């Protein structure tokens, strides 16, 4: 870490202090942070480290590598600490963030985003499947086109066809069709972001697969760049087929969030109101049958249906009202803004 390699006093006005109290000289502020979530990737760390350092050194800017260990049970952390100890310098800052247990890739990425200090953040997998040589390409695309994010699109993907590529193919199309945010490859971890965009993303559960959708929901501009892909040489993939179902559930949740997050009553109120009205209509008809036509209605299924619809409607509307209260609490308690400003012109 920079505070170890650069013993400097806090009183010096020319120094900046990051959110975690690490003091940094302004000329050592990293332009790029490489964020790598790792879970049991011991054998991959040496080669990945060497490749990343070679590529980042060649870019010529101050950079930092942020490895987030997601509760590995093998020797990943000690290997990383060893590598970081050998390479840290004011211009090549290295951090190992050790999470207390295995939280999952999304949380590990979120921790990396929070701790990263570069103007541009780049994420990639820790298993050598992404090629660090593609990093400069992504960053150039981000800057040249003034984008908020650039996503990699894996060419000749080196994974099993039936269990990996086919589900991905379906998921990519499904996500595109349902959300209207169309990209070729949602699953590629190699991505570049402007730091403020990455740090504002709601990274819960396993939402890292939907980052392009989340960025679009924030009004961000996204580009897509073809990148290389390699087969896993060491260690094992951490995911099986069950992630397909999780993707579908997350997709439903995101669709709701995208459309109704700030106004849940518009969904619940509409459906609830319609249900209530139909219920009231049915009950009214039952009343007419009893009072006007003198029929016995006690055993009529229509009566049951009317009561069911009536109370379902009331419940849906109540749920909407509670959700509205929660949304207000969310925004007001955290002073969150329901909008994002891209730029302001003028004084
Ligand atoms: N990973 C993680 N936490 C987890 C699972 C995975 O940090 O709980 C990391 C993993 O070490 C790798 C990246 O996320 O760096 C992608 O995982 P993996 O290669 O297993 O996914 P695949 O390429 O098979 O989709
Ligand atoms: Mg992988």
């Amino acid at each position: 870490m920079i505070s170890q390699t650069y013993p400097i006093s806090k009183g010096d006005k020319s120094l900046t202090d990051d959110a975690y109290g690490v003091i940094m000289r302004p000329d050592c502020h990293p332009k790029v942070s490489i964020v790598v979530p790792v879970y049991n990737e011991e054998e991959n760390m040496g080669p990945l480290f060497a490749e990343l350092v070679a590529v980042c050194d060649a870019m010529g800017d101050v950079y930092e590598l942020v490895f987030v260990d997601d509760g590995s049970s093998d020797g990943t952390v000690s290997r990383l600490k060893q590598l970081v100890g050998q390479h840290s310098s004011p211009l090549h800052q290295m951090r190992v963030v050790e999470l207390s247990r295995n939280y999952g890739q999304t949380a590990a990425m979120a921790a990396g985003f929070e701790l990263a200090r570069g103007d541009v953040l780049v994420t990639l997998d820790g298993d050598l499947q992404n090629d660090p040589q593609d990093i400069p390409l992504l960053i150039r695309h981000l800057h040249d086109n003034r984008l908020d994010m650039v996503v990699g699109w894996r060419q000749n993907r080196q994974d099993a066809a039936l269990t990996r590529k086919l589900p991905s193919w379906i998921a990519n199309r499904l996500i595109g069709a349902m959300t209207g945010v169309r990209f070729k490859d949602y699953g590629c971890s190699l991505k570049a972001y402007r730091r403020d965009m990455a740090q504002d993303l709601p990274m819960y559960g396993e939402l890292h697969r939907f980052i392009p959708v989340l960025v679009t929901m924030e009004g961000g501009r996204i580009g897509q760049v073809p990148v290389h892909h390699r087969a896993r040489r060491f260690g094992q993939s951490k995911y099986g087929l069950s992630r397909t179902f999780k993707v579908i559930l997350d997709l439903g949740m995101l669709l709701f969030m995208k459309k109704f997050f700030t106004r849940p009553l518009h969904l619940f109120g509409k459906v609830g109101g319609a249900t209530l009205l139909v219920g009231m209509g049915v009950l009214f008809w039952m009343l007419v049958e009893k009072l006007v036509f003198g029929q016995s209605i006690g055993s009529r299924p229509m009566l049951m249906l009317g009561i069911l619809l009536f109370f379902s409607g009331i419940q849906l509307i109540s749920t909407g009202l509670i959700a509205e209260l929660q949304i207000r609490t969310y925004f007001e308690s955290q002073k969150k803004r329901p909008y994002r400003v891209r730029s302001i012109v003028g004084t």
Side-chain angles (χ1 to χ4, degrees):
M1 218 187 304
I2 190 94
S3 54
Q4 289 161 357
T5 51
Y6 236 105
I8 39 185
S9 96
K10 256 200 158 180
D12 187 339
K13 287 272 185 297
S14 68
L15 307 176
T16 56
D17 187 356
D18 81 352
Y20 285 77
V22 177
I23 303 163
M24 210 185 303
R25 288 167 46 138
D27 55 348
C28 294
H29 179 83
K31 286 263 188 303
V32 178
S33 297
I34 312 287
V35 174
V36 191
V38 286
Y39 178 50
N40 292 346
E41 306 283 4
E42 184 177 0
E43 296 125 299
N44 288 312
M45 291 302 91
L48 178 66
F49 211 91
E51 284 193 41
L52 282 174
V53 168
V55 167
C56 293
D57 279 354
M59 287 197 296
D61 287 324
V62 180
Y63 67 88
E64 73 172 352
L65 304 186
V66 181
F67 288 89
V68 184
D69 175 72
D70 189 17
S72 296
S73 52
D74 64 357
T76 301
V77 176
S78 44
R79 184 80 189 102
L80 274 174
K81 283 182 179 163
Q82 194 187 12
L83 290 160
V84 161
Q86 288 163 4
H87 286 86
S88 284
S89 79
L91 300 180
H92 315 136
Q93 299 153 26
M94 316 272 169
R95 280 172 152 184
V96 183
V97 181
E98 209 180 330
L99 299 186
S100 61
R101 66 166 171 87
N102 178 235
Y103 287 92
Q105 193 179 341
T106 306
M109 286 173 71
F113 286 164
E114 193 180 348
L115 285 151
R117 299 165 293 188
D119 302 328
V120 170
L121 271 49
V122 175
T123 51
L124 78 163
D125 281 349
D127 59 358
L128 296 167
Q129 288 203 265
N130 300 126
D131 186 348
Q133 299 271 8
D134 290 319
I135 292 174
L137 201 74
L138 260 71
I139 298 176
R140 212 175 313 130
H141 198 73
L142 187 84
H143 287 315
D144 290 353
N145 299 294
R146 298 190 59 237
L147 299 170
D148 296 296
M149 178 188 179
V150 175
V151 300
W153 168 20
R154 290 169 289 185
Q155 308 290 300
N156 300 317
R157 192 173 154 194
Q158 301 295 317
D159 279 323
L162 207 62
T163 51
R164 307 302 303 269
K165 287 204 274 193
L166 182 67
S168 283
W169 188 86
I170 297 170
N172 286 330
R173 264 150 197 79
L174 197 66
I175 297 170
M178 303 293 275
T179 61
V181 182
R182 289 175 198 277
F183 287 98
K184 294 283 185 191
D185 189 2
Y186 285 84
C188 179
S189 297
L190 186 56
K191 296 183 170 89
Y193 316 71
R194 276 184 29 206
R195 187 184 56 197
D196 57 338
M197 180 54 82
Q199 289 184 333
D200 282 352
L201 294 178
M203 299 279 284
Y204 302 110
E206 297 195 5
L207 285 190
H208 66 273
R209 293 194 193 99
F210 294 93
I211 287 177
V213 180
L214 299 177
V215 170
T216 307
M217 282 164 68
E218 291 280 337
R221 295 183 181 135
I222 311 180
Q224 182 172 247
V225 168
V227 295
H228 299 96
H229 192 247
R230 309 185 286 203
R232 217 185 221 279
R233 274 195 291 152
F234 310 110
Q236 284 174 350
S237 168
K238 311 300 179 296
Y239 300 104
L241 256 184
S242 69
R243 78 165 139 190
T244 316
F245 301 104
K246 294 179 188 159
V247 164
I248 291 168
L249 288 177
D250 282 340
L251 186 60
M253 187 272 296
L254 268 188
L255 283 180
F256 168 75
M257 298 287 269
K258 187 163 181 265
K259 206 148 182 214
F260 297 107
F261 179 57
T262 54
R263 49 188 184 101
L265 194 59
H266 284 197
L267 174 66
F268 289 103
K270 224 190 272 175
V271 181
T275 313
L276 186 68
L277 271 180
V278 176
M280 280 165 58
V282 171
L283 289 180
F284 179 73
W285 178 243
M286 287 289 98
L287 200 69
V288 170
E289 285 216 351
K290 174 144 186 84
L291 296 183
V292 181
F293 300 109
Q295 293 190 359
S296 147
I297 56 167
S299 58
R300 296 278 300 275
M302 281 294 263
L303 182 67
M304 292 292 288
L305 183 71
I307 294 171
L308 201 73
L309 289 174
F310 183 83
F311 283 107
S312 302
I314 289 182
Q315 273 201 318
L316 280 167
I317 294 170
S318 317
T319 306
L321 285 169
I322 292 172
E324 283 281 331
L325 284 180
Q326 284 196 321
I327 261 323
R328 276 161 179 57
T329 316
Y330 170 81
F331 279 106
E332 283 160 30
S333 65
Q334 301 184 59
K335 302 236 175 304
K336 290 222 184 245
R337 294 190 183 87
Y339 56 85
R340 166 186 287 273
V341 176
R342 194 190 307 277
S343 73
I344 299 175
V345 179
T347 50

